[in-house]
Amino acid sequence: MSEPYTGGCKCGAIRYEVSGEPAAMLYCQCRQCQRDSGTGHGAHLTFVGANVKLTGEAATWTVTGDLGTRKSRGFCSACGAPVYLFFPDNADVFVASATSLDDPIRFKPQFVTWTDAGQPWDHLDPALPRFGKMPPV
């Protein structure tokens, strides 16, 4: 087993440690990720059934995605940094923001989702597989 994935917000008020390997590492170009990141996409590590330890209290807001999935974003109320996402209807899934990793070089994107909402100025690696919405399961 590899070293845990660790990270947190800019000011250190929120920290996480995830034991286990990500089920997926991806870029998402949905409008919610664009707004969350302040750029054309979000960069995420999705863990399923992993052991997650959180310290500090994140502020959260919940939205319903285009396909009806409720997702909550955890961010620091002190420094404003987006740290993670979780799904109120699926507690098994934890999604860390790649920019929140202590060692961001561990992020190795495998594909791009929600390219239908992508911006023409957001240039991502053209070799990555792309999906207009979510990839098939």
PDB file of all heavy atoms in Angstrom, residues 29-69:
ATOM      1  N   GLN A  29     -14.761  19.823 -16.192  1.00  0.00           N
ATOM      2  CA  GLN A  29     -15.015  21.134 -16.771  1.00  0.00           C
ATOM      3  C   GLN A  29     -16.455  21.610 -16.567  1.00  0.00           C
ATOM      4  O   GLN A  29     -16.888  22.540 -17.240  1.00  0.00           O
ATOM      5  CB  GLN A  29     -14.677  21.120 -18.261  1.00  0.00           C
ATOM      6  CG  GLN A  29     -13.192  20.985 -18.526  1.00  0.00           C
ATOM      7  CD  GLN A  29     -12.860  21.094 -20.002  1.00  0.00           C
ATOM      8  OE1 GLN A  29     -13.428  20.406 -20.838  1.00  0.00           O
ATOM      9  NE2 GLN A  29     -11.936  21.976 -20.314  1.00  0.00           N
ATOM     10  N   CYS A  30     -17.179  21.020 -15.602  1.00  0.00           N
ATOM     11  CA  CYS A  30     -18.546  21.495 -15.360  1.00  0.00           C
ATOM     12  C   CYS A  30     -18.503  22.930 -14.820  1.00  0.00           C
ATOM     13  O   CYS A  30     -17.488  23.394 -14.310  1.00  0.00           O
ATOM     14  CB  CYS A  30     -19.289  20.565 -14.398  1.00  0.00           C
ATOM     15  SG  CYS A  30     -18.870  20.748 -12.655  1.00  0.00           S
ATOM     16  N   ARG A  31     -19.618  23.631 -14.964  1.00  0.00           N
ATOM     17  CA  ARG A  31     -19.670  25.026 -14.518  1.00  0.00           C
ATOM     18  C   ARG A  31     -19.440  25.151 -13.021  1.00  0.00           C
ATOM     19  O   ARG A  31     -18.849  26.123 -12.566  1.00  0.00           O
ATOM     20  CB  ARG A  31     -21.016  25.659 -14.910  1.00  0.00           C
ATOM     21  CG  ARG A  31     -21.127  25.940 -16.385  1.00  0.00           C
ATOM     22  CD  ARG A  31     -20.161  27.012 -16.886  1.00  0.00           C
ATOM     23  NE  ARG A  31     -20.548  28.323 -16.350  1.00  0.00           N
ATOM     24  CZ  ARG A  31     -19.684  29.294 -16.040  1.00  0.00           C
ATOM     25  NH1 ARG A  31     -18.392  29.130 -16.207  1.00  0.00           N
ATOM     26  NH2 ARG A  31     -20.118  30.440 -15.574  1.00  0.00           N
ATOM     27  N   GLN A  32     -19.876  24.179 -12.243  1.00  0.00           N
ATOM     28  CA  GLN A  32     -19.644  24.245 -10.799  1.00  0.00           C
ATOM     29  C   GLN A  32     -18.154  24.172 -10.484  1.00  0.00           C
ATOM     30  O   GLN A  32     -17.656  24.922  -9.647  1.00  0.00           O
ATOM     31  CB  GLN A  32     -20.409  23.137 -10.093  1.00  0.00           C
ATOM     32  CG  GLN A  32     -21.902  23.341 -10.164  1.00  0.00           C
ATOM     33  CD  GLN A  32     -22.680  22.098  -9.792  1.00  0.00           C
ATOM     34  OE1 GLN A  32     -22.125  21.032  -9.560  1.00  0.00           O
ATOM     35  NE2 GLN A  32     -23.994  22.230  -9.750  1.00  0.00           N
ATOM     36  N   CYS A  33     -17.434  23.298 -11.140  1.00  0.00           N
ATOM     37  CA  CYS A  33     -15.987  23.205 -10.914  1.00  0.00           C
ATOM     38  C   CYS A  33     -15.269  24.455 -11.429  1.00  0.00           C
ATOM     39  O   CYS A  33     -14.300  24.905 -10.830  1.00  0.00           O
ATOM     40  CB  CYS A  33     -15.415  21.947 -11.565  1.00  0.00           C
ATOM     41  SG  CYS A  33     -15.797  20.445 -10.642  1.00  0.00           S
ATOM     42  N   GLN A  34     -15.747  25.007 -12.537  1.00  0.00           N
ATOM     43  CA  GLN A  34     -15.156  26.248 -13.031  1.00  0.00           C
ATOM     44  C   GLN A  34     -15.279  27.351 -11.980  1.00  0.00           C
ATOM     45  O   GLN A  34     -14.317  28.053 -11.670  1.00  0.00           O
ATOM     46  CB  GLN A  34     -15.834  26.685 -14.328  1.00  0.00           C
ATOM     47  CG  GLN A  34     -15.542  25.788 -15.503  1.00  0.00           C
ATOM     48  CD  GLN A  34     -16.382  26.137 -16.721  1.00  0.00           C
ATOM     49  OE1 GLN A  34     -16.888  27.241 -16.855  1.00  0.00           O
ATOM     50  NE2 GLN A  34     -16.539  25.178 -17.620  1.00  0.00           N
ATOM     51  N   ARG A  35     -16.467  27.479 -11.427  1.00  0.00           N
ATOM     52  CA  ARG A  35     -16.693  28.527 -10.428  1.00  0.00           C
ATOM     53  C   ARG A  35     -15.926  28.252  -9.141  1.00  0.00           C
ATOM     54  O   ARG A  35     -15.426  29.170  -8.503  1.00  0.00           O
ATOM     55  CB  ARG A  35     -18.182  28.664 -10.157  1.00  0.00           C
ATOM     56  CG  ARG A  35     -18.917  29.288 -11.327  1.00  0.00           C
ATOM     57  CD  ARG A  35     -20.405  29.444 -11.033  1.00  0.00           C
ATOM     58  NE  ARG A  35     -21.068  30.142 -12.113  1.00  0.00           N
ATOM     59  CZ  ARG A  35     -22.004  29.612 -12.875  1.00  0.00           C
ATOM     60  NH1 ARG A  35     -22.417  28.368 -12.665  1.00  0.00           N
ATOM     61  NH2 ARG A  35     -22.557  30.312 -13.844  1.00  0.00           N
ATOM     62  N   ASP A  36     -15.844  26.986  -8.753  1.00  0.00           N
ATOM     63  CA  ASP A  36     -15.128  26.630  -7.532  1.00  0.00           C
ATOM     64  C   ASP A  36     -13.638  26.911  -7.662  1.00  0.00           C
ATOM     65  O   ASP A  36     -13.004  27.392  -6.727  1.00  0.00           O
ATOM     66  CB  ASP A  36     -15.359  25.153  -7.204  1.00  0.00           C
ATOM     67  CG  ASP A  36     -14.741  24.742  -5.888  1.00  0.00           C
ATOM     68  OD1 ASP A  36     -14.941  25.441  -4.876  1.00  0.00           O
ATOM     69  OD2 ASP A  36     -14.056  23.707  -5.859  1.00  0.00           O
ATOM     70  N   SER A  37     -13.084  26.615  -8.830  1.00  0.00           N
ATOM     71  CA  SER A  37     -11.637  26.753  -9.016  1.00  0.00           C
ATOM     72  C   SER A  37     -11.219  28.149  -9.456  1.00  0.00           C
ATOM     73  O   SER A  37     -10.052  28.510  -9.322  1.00  0.00           O
ATOM     74  CB  SER A  37     -11.148  25.747 -10.067  1.00  0.00           C
ATOM     75  OG  SER A  37     -11.626  26.111 -11.352  1.00  0.00           O
ATOM     76  N   GLY A  38     -12.156  28.908 -10.022  1.00  0.00           N
ATOM     77  CA  GLY A  38     -11.788  30.214 -10.557  1.00  0.00           C
ATOM     78  C   GLY A  38     -11.076  30.111 -11.892  1.00  0.00           C
ATOM     79  O   GLY A  38     -10.468  31.068 -12.367  1.00  0.00           O
ATOM     80  N   THR A  39     -11.153  28.962 -12.524  1.00  0.00           N
ATOM     81  CA  THR A  39     -10.536  28.760 -13.832  1.00  0.00           C
ATOM     82  C   THR A  39     -11.454  27.866 -14.664  1.00  0.00           C
ATOM     83  O   THR A  39     -12.635  27.771 -14.378  1.00  0.00           O
ATOM     84  CB  THR A  39      -9.106  28.186 -13.685  1.00  0.00           C
ATOM     85  OG1 THR A  39      -8.477  28.137 -14.969  1.00  0.00           O
ATOM     86  CG2 THR A  39      -9.095  26.811 -13.069  1.00  0.00           C
ATOM     87  N   GLY A  40     -10.939  27.162 -15.648  1.00  0.00           N
ATOM     88  CA  GLY A  40     -11.777  26.398 -16.555  1.00  0.00           C
ATOM     89  C   GLY A  40     -12.107  24.984 -16.136  1.00  0.00           C
ATOM     90  O   GLY A  40     -12.849  24.300 -16.831  1.00  0.00           O
ATOM     91  N   HIS A  41     -11.561  24.524 -15.028  1.00  0.00           N
ATOM     92  CA  HIS A  41     -11.802  23.138 -14.614  1.00  0.00           C
ATOM     93  C   HIS A  41     -11.396  22.945 -13.158  1.00  0.00           C
ATOM     94  O   HIS A  41     -10.672  23.745 -12.592  1.00  0.00           O
ATOM     95  CB  HIS A  41     -11.014  22.167 -15.500  1.00  0.00           C
ATOM     96  CG  HIS A  41      -9.531  22.348 -15.390  1.00  0.00           C
ATOM     97  ND1 HIS A  41      -8.846  23.283 -16.139  1.00  0.00           N
ATOM     98  CD2 HIS A  41      -8.611  21.750 -14.593  1.00  0.00           C
ATOM     99  CE1 HIS A  41      -7.559  23.243 -15.816  1.00  0.00           C
ATOM    100  NE2 HIS A  41      -7.400  22.315 -14.883  1.00  0.00           N
ATOM    101  N   GLY A  42     -11.885  21.849 -12.593  1.00  0.00           N
ATOM    102  CA  GLY A  42     -11.408  21.380 -11.293  1.00  0.00           C
ATOM    103  C   GLY A  42     -10.515  20.180 -11.529  1.00  0.00           C
ATOM    104  O   GLY A  42     -10.611  19.508 -12.558  1.00  0.00           O
ATOM    105  N   ALA A  43      -9.626  19.921 -10.583  1.00  0.00           N
ATOM    106  CA  ALA A  43      -8.743  18.757 -10.645  1.00  0.00           C
ATOM    107  C   ALA A  43      -8.986  17.941  -9.379  1.00  0.00           C
ATOM    108  O   ALA A  43      -8.823  18.457  -8.271  1.00  0.00           O
ATOM    109  CB  ALA A  43      -7.291  19.206 -10.747  1.00  0.00           C
ATOM    110  N   HIS A  44      -9.405  16.684  -9.542  1.00  0.00           N
ATOM    111  CA  HIS A  44      -9.903  15.906  -8.412  1.00  0.00           C
ATOM    112  C   HIS A  44      -9.309  14.506  -8.334  1.00  0.00           C
ATOM    113  O   HIS A  44      -9.059  13.877  -9.354  1.00  0.00           O
ATOM    114  CB  HIS A  44     -11.420  15.746  -8.516  1.00  0.00           C
ATOM    115  CG  HIS A  44     -12.158  17.022  -8.687  1.00  0.00           C
ATOM    116  ND1 HIS A  44     -12.231  17.986  -7.717  1.00  0.00           N
ATOM    117  CD2 HIS A  44     -12.855  17.518  -9.738  1.00  0.00           C
ATOM    118  CE1 HIS A  44     -12.959  19.003  -8.144  1.00  0.00           C
ATOM    119  NE2 HIS A  44     -13.341  18.738  -9.377  1.00  0.00           N
ATOM    120  N   LEU A  45      -9.165  14.039  -7.092  1.00  0.00           N
ATOM    121  CA  LEU A  45      -8.828  12.654  -6.805  1.00  0.00           C
ATOM    122  C   LEU A  45     -10.044  12.059  -6.111  1.00  0.00           C
ATOM    123  O   LEU A  45     -10.440  12.548  -5.049  1.00  0.00           O
ATOM    124  CB  LEU A  45      -7.633  12.543  -5.864  1.00  0.00           C
ATOM    125  CG  LEU A  45      -6.294  13.040  -6.394  1.00  0.00           C
ATOM    126  CD1 LEU A  45      -6.135  14.527  -6.113  1.00  0.00           C
ATOM    127  CD2 LEU A  45      -5.166  12.273  -5.738  1.00  0.00           C
ATOM    128  N   THR A  46     -10.651  11.053  -6.711  1.00  0.00           N
ATOM    129  CA  THR A  46     -11.858  10.451  -6.175  1.00  0.00           C
ATOM    130  C   THR A  46     -11.512   9.133  -5.483  1.00  0.00           C
ATOM    131  O   THR A  46     -10.957   8.234  -6.114  1.00  0.00           O
ATOM    132  CB  THR A  46     -12.878  10.201  -7.305  1.00  0.00           C
ATOM    133  OG1 THR A  46     -13.175  11.439  -7.937  1.00  0.00           O
ATOM    134  CG2 THR A  46     -14.152   9.584  -6.757  1.00  0.00           C
ATOM    135  N   PHE A  47     -11.849   9.064  -4.205  1.00  0.00           N
ATOM    136  CA  PHE A  47     -11.617   7.872  -3.403  1.00  0.00           C
ATOM    137  C   PHE A  47     -12.958   7.221  -3.098  1.00  0.00           C
ATOM    138  O   PHE A  47     -13.922   7.914  -2.772  1.00  0.00           O
ATOM    139  CB  PHE A  47     -10.927   8.233  -2.085  1.00  0.00           C
ATOM    140  CG  PHE A  47      -9.561   8.833  -2.260  1.00  0.00           C
ATOM    141  CD1 PHE A  47      -9.406  10.204  -2.413  1.00  0.00           C
ATOM    142  CD2 PHE A  47      -8.438   8.024  -2.257  1.00  0.00           C
ATOM    143  CE1 PHE A  47      -8.147  10.769  -2.571  1.00  0.00           C
ATOM    144  CE2 PHE A  47      -7.168   8.575  -2.418  1.00  0.00           C
ATOM    145  CZ  PHE A  47      -7.024   9.949  -2.576  1.00  0.00           C
ATOM    146  N   VAL A  48     -13.013   5.906  -3.174  1.00  0.00           N
ATOM    147  CA  VAL A  48     -14.234   5.164  -2.869  1.00  0.00           C
ATOM    148  C   VAL A  48     -13.906   4.137  -1.784  1.00  0.00           C
ATOM    149  O   VAL A  48     -13.008   3.307  -1.967  1.00  0.00           O
ATOM    150  CB  VAL A  48     -14.800   4.466  -4.120  1.00  0.00           C
ATOM    151  CG1 VAL A  48     -16.053   3.677  -3.778  1.00  0.00           C
ATOM    152  CG2 VAL A  48     -15.084   5.481  -5.218  1.00  0.00           C
ATOM    153  N   GLY A  49     -14.605   4.233  -0.667  1.00  0.00           N
ATOM    154  CA  GLY A  49     -14.409   3.282   0.421  1.00  0.00           C
ATOM    155  C   GLY A  49     -13.081   3.412   1.136  1.00  0.00           C
ATOM    156  O   GLY A  49     -12.665   2.490   1.822  1.00  0.00           O
ATOM    157  N   ALA A  50     -12.404   4.528   0.997  1.00  0.00           N
ATOM    158  CA  ALA A  50     -11.103   4.725   1.636  1.00  0.00           C
ATOM    159  C   ALA A  50     -11.284   5.190   3.077  1.00  0.00           C
ATOM    160  O   ALA A  50     -12.325   5.741   3.447  1.00  0.00           O
ATOM    161  CB  ALA A  50     -10.290   5.763   0.851  1.00  0.00           C
ATOM    162  N   ASN A  51     -10.264   4.987   3.874  1.00  0.00           N
ATOM    163  CA  ASN A  51     -10.254   5.490   5.243  1.00  0.00           C
ATOM    164  C   ASN A  51      -9.835   6.959   5.201  1.00  0.00           C
ATOM    165  O   ASN A  51      -8.720   7.277   4.802  1.00  0.00           O
ATOM    166  CB  ASN A  51      -9.285   4.665   6.089  1.00  0.00           C
ATOM    167  CG  ASN A  51      -9.250   5.108   7.531  1.00  0.00           C
ATOM    168  OD1 ASN A  51     -10.193   5.736   8.024  1.00  0.00           O
ATOM    169  ND2 ASN A  51      -8.167   4.791   8.210  1.00  0.00           N
ATOM    170  N   VAL A  52     -10.745   7.854   5.601  1.00  0.00           N
ATOM    171  CA  VAL A  52     -10.497   9.301   5.542  1.00  0.00           C
ATOM    172  C   VAL A  52     -10.505   9.864   6.955  1.00  0.00           C
ATOM    173  O   VAL A  52     -11.446   9.654   7.707  1.00  0.00           O
ATOM    174  CB  VAL A  52     -11.583  10.019   4.699  1.00  0.00           C
ATOM    175  CG1 VAL A  52     -11.321  11.512   4.657  1.00  0.00           C
ATOM    176  CG2 VAL A  52     -11.645   9.437   3.292  1.00  0.00           C
ATOM    177  N   LYS A  53      -9.432  10.568   7.297  1.00  0.00           N
ATOM    178  CA  LYS A  53      -9.362  11.265   8.583  1.00  0.00           C
ATOM    179  C   LYS A  53      -9.366  12.760   8.297  1.00  0.00           C
ATOM    180  O   LYS A  53      -8.508  13.261   7.563  1.00  0.00           O
ATOM    181  CB  LYS A  53      -8.092  10.888   9.337  1.00  0.00           C
ATOM    182  CG  LYS A  53      -8.021   9.442   9.737  1.00  0.00           C
ATOM    183  CD  LYS A  53      -6.692   9.141  10.423  1.00  0.00           C
ATOM    184  CE  LYS A  53      -6.544   7.650  10.625  1.00  0.00           C
ATOM    185  NZ  LYS A  53      -5.190   7.290  11.052  1.00  0.00           N
ATOM    186  N   LEU A  54     -10.337  13.464   8.871  1.00  0.00           N
ATOM    187  CA  LEU A  54     -10.446  14.916   8.706  1.00  0.00           C
ATOM    188  C   LEU A  54     -10.212  15.599  10.042  1.00  0.00           C
ATOM    189  O   LEU A  54     -10.704  15.130  11.069  1.00  0.00           O
ATOM    190  CB  LEU A  54     -11.839  15.302   8.208  1.00  0.00           C
ATOM    191  CG  LEU A  54     -12.194  14.958   6.780  1.00  0.00           C
ATOM    192  CD1 LEU A  54     -13.684  15.171   6.541  1.00  0.00           C
ATOM    193  CD2 LEU A  54     -11.378  15.796   5.822  1.00  0.00           C
ATOM    194  N   THR A  55      -9.460  16.697  10.025  1.00  0.00           N
ATOM    195  CA  THR A  55      -9.336  17.538  11.211  1.00  0.00           C
ATOM    196  C   THR A  55      -9.673  18.966  10.811  1.00  0.00           C
ATOM    197  O   THR A  55      -9.431  19.378   9.678  1.00  0.00           O
ATOM    198  CB  THR A  55      -7.924  17.482  11.831  1.00  0.00           C
ATOM    199  OG1 THR A  55      -6.961  17.870  10.852  1.00  0.00           O
ATOM    200  CG2 THR A  55      -7.598  16.090  12.332  1.00  0.00           C
ATOM    201  N   GLY A  56     -10.245  19.702  11.752  1.00  0.00           N
ATOM    202  CA  GLY A  56     -10.705  21.054  11.461  1.00  0.00           C
ATOM    203  C   GLY A  56     -12.116  20.987  10.922  1.00  0.00           C
ATOM    204  O   GLY A  56     -12.603  19.936  10.507  1.00  0.00           O
ATOM    205  N   GLU A  57     -12.782  22.099  10.943  1.00  0.00           N
ATOM    206  CA  GLU A  57     -14.172  22.131  10.490  1.00  0.00           C
ATOM    207  C   GLU A  57     -14.291  22.943   9.204  1.00  0.00           C
ATOM    208  O   GLU A  57     -14.013  24.141   9.190  1.00  0.00           O
ATOM    209  CB  GLU A  57     -15.074  22.730  11.562  1.00  0.00           C
ATOM    210  CG  GLU A  57     -16.525  22.546  11.223  1.00  0.00           C
ATOM    211  CD  GLU A  57     -17.425  22.743  12.425  1.00  0.00           C
ATOM    212  OE1 GLU A  57     -16.964  22.551  13.546  1.00  0.00           O
ATOM    213  OE2 GLU A  57     -18.592  23.103  12.195  1.00  0.00           O
ATOM    214  N   ALA A  58     -14.707  22.275   8.164  1.00  0.00           N
ATOM    215  CA  ALA A  58     -14.893  22.934   6.874  1.00  0.00           C
ATOM    216  C   ALA A  58     -16.268  23.585   6.813  1.00  0.00           C
ATOM    217  O   ALA A  58     -17.232  23.063   7.356  1.00  0.00           O
ATOM    218  CB  ALA A  58     -14.751  21.934   5.734  1.00  0.00           C
ATOM    219  N   ALA A  59     -16.321  24.712   6.159  1.00  0.00           N
ATOM    220  CA  ALA A  59     -17.615  25.275   5.768  1.00  0.00           C
ATOM    221  C   ALA A  59     -18.043  24.494   4.534  1.00  0.00           C
ATOM    222  O   ALA A  59     -17.196  24.024   3.763  1.00  0.00           O
ATOM    223  CB  ALA A  59     -17.478  26.758   5.455  1.00  0.00           C
ATOM    224  N   THR A  60     -19.334  24.289   4.356  1.00  0.00           N
ATOM    225  CA  THR A  60     -19.796  23.519   3.204  1.00  0.00           C
ATOM    226  C   THR A  60     -20.958  24.217   2.520  1.00  0.00           C
ATOM    227  O   THR A  60     -21.653  25.032   3.126  1.00  0.00           O
ATOM    228  CB  THR A  60     -20.261  22.096   3.599  1.00  0.00           C
ATOM    229  OG1 THR A  60     -21.354  22.200   4.493  1.00  0.00           O
ATOM    230  CG2 THR A  60     -19.140  21.296   4.229  1.00  0.00           C
ATOM    231  N   TRP A  61     -21.118  23.908   1.262  1.00  0.00           N
ATOM    232  CA  TRP A  61     -22.327  24.275   0.531  1.00  0.00           C
ATOM    233  C   TRP A  61     -22.648  23.115  -0.399  1.00  0.00           C
ATOM    234  O   TRP A  61     -21.773  22.423  -0.883  1.00  0.00           O
ATOM    235  CB  TRP A  61     -22.197  25.610  -0.182  1.00  0.00           C
ATOM    236  CG  TRP A  61     -21.109  25.724  -1.211  1.00  0.00           C
ATOM    237  CD1 TRP A  61     -19.801  26.003  -0.991  1.00  0.00           C
ATOM    238  CD2 TRP A  61     -21.244  25.557  -2.624  1.00  0.00           C
ATOM    239  NE1 TRP A  61     -19.109  26.026  -2.174  1.00  0.00           N
ATOM    240  CE2 TRP A  61     -19.968  25.765  -3.198  1.00  0.00           C
ATOM    241  CE3 TRP A  61     -22.310  25.266  -3.461  1.00  0.00           C
ATOM    242  CZ2 TRP A  61     -19.748  25.679  -4.560  1.00  0.00           C
ATOM    243  CZ3 TRP A  61     -22.075  25.181  -4.823  1.00  0.00           C
ATOM    244  CH2 TRP A  61     -20.805  25.397  -5.357  1.00  0.00           C
ATOM    245  N   THR A  62     -23.939  22.890  -0.548  1.00  0.00           N
ATOM    246  CA  THR A  62     -24.414  21.744  -1.309  1.00  0.00           C
ATOM    247  C   THR A  62     -25.177  22.212  -2.531  1.00  0.00           C
ATOM    248  O   THR A  62     -25.981  23.139  -2.453  1.00  0.00           O
ATOM    249  CB  THR A  62     -25.318  20.858  -0.424  1.00  0.00           C
ATOM    250  OG1 THR A  62     -24.567  20.440   0.718  1.00  0.00           O
ATOM    251  CG2 THR A  62     -25.803  19.632  -1.184  1.00  0.00           C
ATOM    252  N   VAL A  63     -24.904  21.574  -3.655  1.00  0.00           N
ATOM    253  CA  VAL A  63     -25.599  21.866  -4.902  1.00  0.00           C
ATOM    254  C   VAL A  63     -26.065  20.543  -5.508  1.00  0.00           C
ATOM    255  O   VAL A  63     -25.565  19.481  -5.161  1.00  0.00           O
ATOM    256  CB  VAL A  63     -24.695  22.612  -5.917  1.00  0.00           C
ATOM    257  CG1 VAL A  63     -24.292  23.973  -5.401  1.00  0.00           C
ATOM    258  CG2 VAL A  63     -23.477  21.798  -6.275  1.00  0.00           C
ATOM    259  N   THR A  64     -27.004  20.634  -6.411  1.00  0.00           N
ATOM    260  CA  THR A  64     -27.449  19.470  -7.166  1.00  0.00           C
ATOM    261  C   THR A  64     -26.905  19.615  -8.581  1.00  0.00           C
ATOM    262  O   THR A  64     -27.142  20.623  -9.247  1.00  0.00           O
ATOM    263  CB  THR A  64     -28.985  19.372  -7.185  1.00  0.00           C
ATOM    264  OG1 THR A  64     -29.434  19.278  -5.828  1.00  0.00           O
ATOM    265  CG2 THR A  64     -29.441  18.151  -7.950  1.00  0.00           C
ATOM    266  N   GLY A  65     -26.164  18.607  -9.005  1.00  0.00           N
ATOM    267  CA  GLY A  65     -25.558  18.635 -10.330  1.00  0.00           C
ATOM    268  C   GLY A  65     -26.574  18.434 -11.435  1.00  0.00           C
ATOM    269  O   GLY A  65     -27.747  18.123 -11.188  1.00  0.00           O
ATOM    270  N   ASP A  66     -26.126  18.589 -12.661  1.00  0.00           N
ATOM    271  CA  ASP A  66     -26.991  18.465 -13.835  1.00  0.00           C
ATOM    272  C   ASP A  66     -27.663  17.097 -13.944  1.00  0.00           C
ATOM    273  O   ASP A  66     -28.734  16.981 -14.522  1.00  0.00           O
ATOM    274  CB  ASP A  66     -26.200  18.739 -15.114  1.00  0.00           C
ATOM    275  CG  ASP A  66     -25.789  20.194 -15.249  1.00  0.00           C
ATOM    276  OD1 ASP A  66     -26.415  21.053 -14.584  1.00  0.00           O
ATOM    277  OD2 ASP A  66     -24.854  20.470 -16.009  1.00  0.00           O
ATOM    278  N   LEU A  67     -27.044  16.065 -13.393  1.00  0.00           N
ATOM    279  CA  LEU A  67     -27.623  14.726 -13.460  1.00  0.00           C
ATOM    280  C   LEU A  67     -28.381  14.371 -12.177  1.00  0.00           C
ATOM    281  O   LEU A  67     -28.756  13.219 -11.978  1.00  0.00           O
ATOM    282  CB  LEU A  67     -26.538  13.688 -13.751  1.00  0.00           C
ATOM    283  CG  LEU A  67     -25.841  13.841 -15.103  1.00  0.00           C
ATOM    284  CD1 LEU A  67     -24.764  12.772 -15.282  1.00  0.00           C
ATOM    285  CD2 LEU A  67     -26.845  13.772 -16.248  1.00  0.00           C
ATOM    286  N   GLY A  68     -28.596  15.370 -11.298  1.00  0.00           N
ATOM    287  CA  GLY A  68     -29.388  15.160 -10.097  1.00  0.00           C
ATOM    288  C   GLY A  68     -28.618  14.719  -8.865  1.00  0.00           C
ATOM    289  O   GLY A  68     -29.208  14.472  -7.819  1.00  0.00           O
ATOM    290  N   THR A  69     -27.314  14.619  -8.955  1.00  0.00           N
ATOM    291  CA  THR A  69     -26.500  14.191  -7.826  1.00  0.00           C
ATOM    292  C   THR A  69     -26.229  15.372  -6.896  1.00  0.00           C
ATOM    293  O   THR A  69     -25.760  16.419  -7.342  1.00  0.00           O
ATOM    294  CB  THR A  69     -25.150  13.621  -8.316  1.00  0.00           C
ATOM    295  OG1 THR A  69     -25.410  12.547  -9.213  1.00  0.00           O
ATOM    296  CG2 THR A  69     -24.298  13.140  -7.166  1.00  0.00           C
TER     297      THR A  69
END
